[in-house]
Amino acid sequence: MDALQGQAMAQASERQRRAHLHRIEAALKRLDKGDYGYCAECGEEIAERRLQVDPAAALCIKCAR
C-alpha cells in the first residue's frame, strides 16, 4: 500500500511540475507577442503586485475568481 501511495504522490508531483512549466512557457509566449501583463480573459492590465507574486499569471484578479 505504501508503494502505491508513493507512486501516486510522485505522479501528482510530476503533473504539478508540468503544469507549472506550461504556465511559464505560456507567459513567455505572451511576452514575445506583447500580451504579457494583460488579462487573457478581459484584456485589462494585470496589477503589478499580482505579477510580482505570480509572474506567470494570465488572468487579472477579477477574472481569476
Side-chain angles (χ1 to χ4, degrees), residues 45-57:
E45 193 170 348
I46 298 173
E48 184 177 339
R49 288 190 68 185
R50 177 162 172 73
L51 291 173
Q52 287 174 349
V53 171
D54 182 8

Side-chain angles (χ1 to χ4, degrees), residues 13-64:
S13 179
E14 178 64 16
R15 281 192 300 273
Q16 287 178 337
R17 185 186 69 78
R18 287 183 187 200
H20 186 68
L21 284 175
H22 177 69
R23 291 182 68 234
I24 292 170
E25 289 170 352
L28 290 172
K29 286 179 186 176
R30 289 192 306 276
L31 189 62
D32 287 341
K33 291 184 352 185
D35 294 337
Y36 181 78
Y38 294 94
C39 180
E41 195 71 27
C42 70
E44 293 292 321
E45 193 170 348
I46 298 173
E48 184 177 339
R49 288 190 68 185
R50 177 162 172 73
L51 291 173
Q52 287 174 349
V53 171
D54 182 8
L59 302 173
C60 68
I61 196 71
K62 182 180 174 185
C63 292

